[in-house]
Structure formats: C-alpha cells, structure tokens
DNA sequence: AAATTCTAACTTTTT
DNA sequence: GTTAGAATTT
C-alpha cells in the first residue's frame, strides 16, 4: 500500500487558479467550458450536476481518461461506480476509445455490488461471528433463493405464512439492508412487524446465510460497511488504494451505498459524484435524493459544477420538460438550454380509449415509415420508443403492432439469467461445482420430475441433518439405506450418480462445455423441454443452447458462475429495426429521436398508489418520471392519454394527467384525434383548423379549462354512471355497498369504500388502497362522513 | 405425486 | 385478464 499522497494538500482549488493540463489533450477538444471544468478540477470533492442530455457520461469518462493521462493515478487506483452493468460496460468502452486502447482496463470500474464482492472476497473471514463466518468462496443468493430460504425459516418458526408471505419479508429485509440497519438495530415498528418475530427471524436468516456460506444482494453492501466500521485498518487500506472515486447517477444512491462511499472517500476526498436531482426516480427502492442535496455539507469545500447545455433535445422539448419539473419543490435548480433549432412542439392528443391510443400511435409510426415527416429527417423504427408508466400498458401496443405487423421489441422483460430454464441449468452447474449448495440441490432434485416430492425431500433433509452433511450427501445416504421406495429411489440413485460422476469429470479435467452438455442431457433436463408441448418450450431450448455457448468464453464452470451472479444481462444482437417499448424507469439514460408517452391519466400517471403511499413526495417522484420521459426525446415527443382504459378486465375512466396541465402551453400543440365519437371533447377539438392561431385558441379554451374536463366527463357519462373518485370505476355498484361505506376485512381491518366495480370494491385501508371482492368484507359500523 | 380447479391479488426494478 | 399460489381432485 503506498502512502505517497501529501496529507496537507488543499482539498479544493478555486476554479481560477486551477492548473490546466500542460499540453492540450486531443480528447479535451470540443468540450464546453462547464464540461471542461468538470474534467479538469482534479482534486477535492466535486459534485457534477448534470441535467438530462448534457453529456454527463462524456464528462465523467473524459475525467477518468484525463486523470490517467496526467498520471494522477494508475488504473487500479481509480474507483468508478455505476448502478448497472450496462453503464459500467459503456464507460469502459468509452474510456478505452479516449485513450486509444493503450491502458489496461480498470479493475475497479463496476457496479456497487460487483466492487463490493471483490472487496468482500478478500476479507470474508472477518464477516460473521465467532465460529460462524464467511469463506472467500461465498455464493451470492438471488431473490429466488432468498425467498425459498425465508419460506423454510417461516415454517420452522411457525409463523403464519398467509399473514407474512416470504416475498414480503424478503422485501422488508431488503429495505433494512438498503438502510444499513443491522440485526441489532431494527426499527421498532418494522422489527415487530412479523408478530414480534421480525428481529428473531432476521437473525435466524443471517445465521442461515452464514452456514450456507452465502450472502444476498443487500448483504454485499452492508457487509462492506460493517467491515469498514469494525476494522479501521482494513478501511484504511482501501481508502488509500482508491485515490479518485467517481460515482455515476448519484441521485439514486441509498443509505448503504452512501455510507460505503463516504467511508471510502474520507482519506483522499477526491470524490466526484455525478447526478441529476430531477431524475431521481428510484425513491421507492430506497434511493435518497437527500444524498445529492446534502453533498456540499458532507464534503465541505466541494466544487459544484452544473452542466446545463443540453445536446439532446430541441428547445421545444426542453421547454416543455423544464416547465413541468419546475412544479417540484426543493430542487437544486438547473436551467437547461440549447442552441439547437427550435423543432416541433410537444404534441398532445387524447383518445377515447386505450385501444384507440394504441391504434393511433401505430398509424403515426407507419406514417414515419412512409416518410411523411420530412422535417424530422429519416426516422427508422430503431429511432422510435414508446415509454409507459406501468408494464401492463405494453400489452395494448404489442397486440396492435402484432396485428399490423410492425416490428417491436419489449425492453425490460425477464432477463436472460432470470429465466426459469437458465436458472435450473445454472443450479445443475452449481451443484457440480460445489456439492454444498443445498439450495441448488433443492431446486433441481425434482426437476425434471423424478417422483421426489415434499415427502422425499423431507427424508433427505432428515438424513442430512442426522449425519451433519449436505443434502447431496444426505441423498446418497437415503439411497444406500433405501429409505425411499419404488421409482423415487431409483431416480434419486440416478441423480446422485450423475452428480457424482460429474464431480469426477471435473477432477479428470473434462472440458466444462462438454460437461455442461452432458449434465443437462443425462439429467433429462433437455428432454423435459423437448417433450414439453407449451408454445415457449422451443424458445427455452434455444436459451439453453445459448447458455452453453456462453460457457465457451470462460475457463471453467466456476468462473462462469462467478460472472453470472453479478452480470444479469445479455445483449441479443437484434438485426431488424424495431420500435422499442419500455417503461419510463427502463428508459433512464437512453435517448430516442422520436418518443411516444402514452397513458397520461391521473391515477395511472401520476400513479395513484405512489401518491397514496408517499403523498407529495410520491407525486414529485412521478413528476420527475414525467420529466425523464420527455427528455428522452431528441426531436419529437408525443404525449397521449385515453379517457377509458381497461384495467384488470374492467373498463375504467379517468381524467387527463395533472401533468398535462403543468406543461407550458407555448411548447405544446394539441392534436385532433381521428374518428370522433360524436360529441364530447372530440367535437370541440374538431373545430380546430390547421393554423397555429386556431390551435392556440382551442388549446386555451379546451385543454386548459375546467370546461374541457367537464366535456370529457360528459362524454364518458353517456356510457354509464361514473364515480369521480381518484380512480373512477365505470359500473353499477355492488348491491350491498355504496361508495363511502365503511367495511371490515379480515387482514386489512377497517376501511372505506372509494370505488365499486361490480363485485370488486376499491377500499381505502390504513395500509393503503386495495381492490377486494365484496364477498371478503363485512359492513362495519358506519356513520363516518365521506370525504368525497 | 401430478393434474386440475380455485382464489385473490395486481407500480416502477437493479444487483 | 392474467398470474402465481393454494386447495382440491385424480
């Protein structure tokens, strides 16, 4: 460990006195002054407030390249953290390009998690307590394994599974770890949550993880933090190693990540965080916007650099987005500007229902293909994205595009390594590599079906516990002592035999690719999918083939498994041009020339639940999400909403999103929907002619006034009675109840009905909104006034 | 043990 | 309208 740095070095140098690189480097050319400052402020804490599309990644990667070129640090002394593997990969390629591939890759450029793994592997034995600690070879549990493990514990502790499903407990535990709250210090309310078992269960869970020599995702960070806190010598070692720390998407850090960073940055204080408080959209999974707002307090003397020149969008798009986000309180404040051509205003259009919305967007896209929008230049399908709030909205577009034969791709479906067949295959590999992996054993012992059900598994577990061995060994004992009968026994014998032979094969140095194929074939796993007649079976077989192919790039199974537990994505090189459909969350960091933003209705977007559970905080996060959506567009953004939408099989009507009212009029053009449904707002819009002026008048008259909303509501009324509650439901009330009644539910307690759709009630409980079948609630002592 | 029917719920998602 | 998980039947 080298200690060459001068501890008395000033932490920040004023901008004016800053030394500029002796010789102008070619990679610095073309940067604007702010970007240049962001690259050249070398020492001390720096907060780069980079708005959407301001070249933040460029500034960050150039900064890294610059540090390396100036010899301020060797690649191994730079710590660069991102949130996704994709971002890390992109950064790596960009740095390599800037440096002309002359410098070896940066070992410490990666996600919080991948870097934590590297650190933890070196100090694993310091994690845990006497007699029970981690080994450097620990495995990383994914959510699936985590939930299975919790289920076992819940059963062992005799906790009511119905009241506290493992899934929910896993979520809670995740939350605790995100906030870096250890077993000793659970928050009072939540620790008691599980019938007072919360703390006990948590401790049991952590113990179980240690005995399995495993950690979950949350542990990776939390263990690092506790390690640093408990062992100052270890911390110092890492602090000294990382001379410069760079963090991307700082607004998305949670408490654990924040502590992790702060600990590591304390020594050199050369930390550069890049983020945009207006793009913080992950509050619901523990991200703290506060971290970015507090940066200057945490690192006194920090230099704050704002990147405000936007290179992505037209002034019209930028204007609309800026106007919208201005409604949020407590922003750090940035004024984005651009010197691009004005471009087209953001287009706004309403439709009768979600099907009309999908139809219209499909037609628009086809029109682009026909070259009807010459002003935009060429627009290919790859240039178009549809960004939705909730994934169920995607269906309407998939259906429509399928029927008109428009190629599309859905981004953000289950990832390759999360698919069932891949996880099964991986479990086989895991068991081959480490016989102690009991979770892998459980997963595959009866996959494909071997006639080994719960009973058989219990027998195996019993045998294993009796002899103090792992499940595989336990199974061997069961086979030897013939504790099972018939077919199950024979199958189990084959299974144990196969794994045993595979262990031998590993020792004999059989090629891992060949071994993998052999295991999958001989276990009958491949056959299982070959004989499966479900429509997705062939796809699964393809995936398996691809998995085996991916193995080739690694030296052995072990190496592959290590890699996979952290890198959970895969690029499939699609060749044909396709329209992208994804959620707004999935779109962060991406850009498209043409963007469609459907479903801007109150309740859907802003999402009702987000507002109920988080109040203004939730609404502001939704607004940031809207901001992210609009700013993805380079040349044309189109916002649409539908008066009626089918949700959970029932038609519901809603008002246009309140965000629509917040868009500055001067950047919005209201379009007329085709195929009017006789009257309603459509009739009003039909009056609009083609000229700007008329559109303006119409806009002022129509979309900005309560009258427009009334008209919209009246149109909906013709289809039946409508209850105007936050989420309105269009149907006759269930006979026994009316809106406003108080009801009693076995699990959620007392609540108030705020919506009725046939037999489904929307009830406001203390715990939040729930849709519940009328049969499951009792009328409760009423008399309370209805708030609506 | 496997196939079948029934039930209750339903944001956003990375590692 | 769909889906995962539980309950029930075969």
């Amino acid at each position: 460990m080298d200690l060459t740095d001068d501890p008395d070095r000033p932490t920040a140098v004023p901008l004016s006195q800053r030394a500029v690189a002796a010789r102008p480097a070619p990679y610095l050319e073309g940067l604007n002054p702010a970007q240049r400052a962001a690259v050249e402020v070398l020492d001390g804490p720096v907060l780069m407030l980079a708005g959407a599309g301001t070249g933040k990644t460029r500034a960050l990667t150039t900064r890294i390249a610059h540090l390396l070129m100036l010899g301020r640090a060797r690649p191994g002394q730079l710590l660069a953290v991102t949130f996704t593997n994709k971002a890390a990969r992109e950064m790596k390629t960009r740095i390599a390009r800037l440096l002309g591939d002359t410098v070896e890759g940066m070992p410490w450029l990666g996600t919080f998690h991948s870097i934590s793994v590297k650190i933890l592997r070196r100090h694993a034995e310091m994690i845990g307590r006497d007699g029970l600690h981690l080994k450097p070879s620990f495995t990383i549990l994914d959510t699936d394994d985590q939930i299975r493990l919790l289920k076992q514990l819940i059963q062992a502790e005799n906790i009511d599974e119905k009241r506290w499903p493992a899934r929910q407990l896993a979520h809670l535990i995740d939350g605790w770890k995100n906030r870096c709250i250890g077993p000793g210090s659970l928050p009072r309310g939540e620790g008691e949550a599980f019938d007072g078992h919360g703390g006990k269960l948590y401790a049991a869970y952590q113990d179980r993880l240690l005995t399995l020599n495993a950690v979950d995702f949350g542990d990776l960070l939390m263990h690092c933090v506790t390690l640093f806190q408990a062992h100052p010598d270890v911390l110092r070692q890492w602090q000294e190693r990382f001379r410069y720390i760079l963090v991307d998407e700082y607004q998305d850090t949670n408490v654990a990540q924040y502590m992790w960073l702060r600990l590591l940055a304390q020594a050199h204080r050369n930390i550069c965080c890049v983020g945009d408080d207006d793009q913080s959209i992950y509050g619901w999974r523990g991200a703290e916007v506060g971290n970015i707002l507090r940066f200057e307090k945490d690192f006194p003397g920090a230099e704050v650099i704002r990147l405000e020149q936007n290179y992505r969008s037209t002034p019209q798009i930028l204007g609309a987005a800026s106007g919208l986000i201005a409604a949020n309180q407590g922003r750090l404040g940035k004024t984005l500007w651009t010197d691009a051509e004005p471009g087209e205003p953001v287009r706004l259009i309403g439709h009768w229902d979600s099907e009309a919305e999908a139809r219209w967007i499909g037609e628009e896209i086809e029109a682009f293909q026909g070259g009807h929008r010459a002003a935009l230049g060429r627009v290919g399908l790859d240039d178009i994205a549809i960004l939705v709030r909730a994934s169920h909205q995607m269906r309407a577009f998939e259906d429509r595009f399928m029927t008109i034969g428009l190629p599309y791709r859905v981004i953000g479906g289950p990832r390759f390594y999360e698919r069932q067949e891949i996880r099964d295959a991986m479990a086989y590999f895991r068991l081959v590599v480490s016989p102690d992996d009991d979770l892998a054993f459980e997963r595959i012992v009866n996959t494909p079906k071997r006639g080994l059900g719960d009973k058989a598994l219990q027998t195996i577990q019993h045998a294993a516990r009796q002899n103090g061995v792992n499940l595989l060994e336990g199974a061997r004992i069961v086979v030897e002592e013939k504790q099972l009968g018939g077919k199950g026994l024979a199958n189990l014998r084959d299974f144990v035999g196969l794994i045993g032979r595979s262990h031998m094969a590993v020792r004999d140095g059989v090629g891992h690719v060949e071994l993998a194929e052999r295991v999958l074939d001989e276990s009958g796993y491949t056959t299982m999918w070959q004989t499966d007649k479900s429509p997705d079976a062939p796809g699964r077989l393809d995936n398996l083939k691809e998995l085996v192919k991916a193995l080739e790039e690694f030296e052995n199974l072990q190496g592959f498994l290590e890699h996979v537990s952290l890198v959970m994505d895969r690029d499939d090189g699609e060749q044909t041009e396709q329209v992208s459909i994804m959620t707004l969350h999935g779109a962060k960091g991406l850009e498209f020339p043409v963007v469609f933003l459907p479903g801007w209705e109150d309740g859907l977007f802003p999402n009702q639940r987000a507002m109920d559970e988080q109040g203004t905080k939730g609404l502001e996060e939704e607004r940031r999400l809207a901001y992210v959506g609009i700013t993805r567009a380079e040349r044309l953004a189109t916002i649409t909403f539908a008066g009626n939408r089918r949700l959970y099989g029932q038609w519901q009507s809603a008002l246009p999103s309140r965000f629509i009212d917040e868009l500055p009029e001067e950047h919005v053009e209201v379009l007329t929907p085709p195929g009017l449904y006789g009257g309603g707002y459509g009739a009003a819009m039909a009056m609009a002619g083609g000229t700007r002026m008329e559109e303006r008048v119409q806009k002022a008259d129509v979309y900005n006034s309560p009258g427009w909303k009334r008209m919209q509501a009246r149109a909906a009324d013709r289809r039946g009675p409508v209850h105007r509650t936050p989420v309105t439901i269009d149907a006759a009330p269930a006979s026994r109840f009316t809106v406003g009644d108080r009801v009693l539910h076995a699990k959620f307690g007392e609540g108030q009905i705020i919506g009725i759709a046939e037999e489904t009630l929307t009830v406001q409980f203390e715990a939040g909104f729930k849709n519940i079948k009328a049969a499951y609630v009792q009328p409760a002592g009423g008399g309370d006034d209805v708030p609506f």
Side-chain angles (χ1 to χ4, degrees), chain A residues 52-53 310-321 338 340 342 344-347 376 383-387 584 587 589-597 626-639:
Chain A
N310 175 294
Y311 297 95
R312 179 186 296 155
S313 311
T314 63
Q316 293 271 27
I317 291 169
L318 220 49
T338 172
E344 296 192 42
V346 171
R347 304 186 303 164
L376 288 175
D383 298 328
I384 303 172
I386 297 169
L387 310 182
L584 286 161
L590 304 178
E591 56 186 18
F592 300 89
V594 173
V595 168
F596 289 94
L597 300 159
Y627 174 79
V628 168
I630 297 172
T631 53
R632 296 311 95 194
E634 292 169 10
R635 283 177 272 158
L636 183 65
T638 308
I639 294 169

Side-chain angles (χ1 to χ4, degrees), chain A residues 10 17 22 60 79 108 130 197 219 238 245 248 346 422-423 541 560 572 598 603 640 660 668 787:
Chain A
Q17 298 170 21
L60 196 61
L79 172 64
W108 301 101
D130 334 284
H197 286 93
D219 280 338
W238 290 101
I245 299 178
D248 197 8
V346 171
I422 300 302
R423 297 179 43 80
L541 282 167
F560 179 72
D572 39 4
T640 75
I660 287 176
V668 178

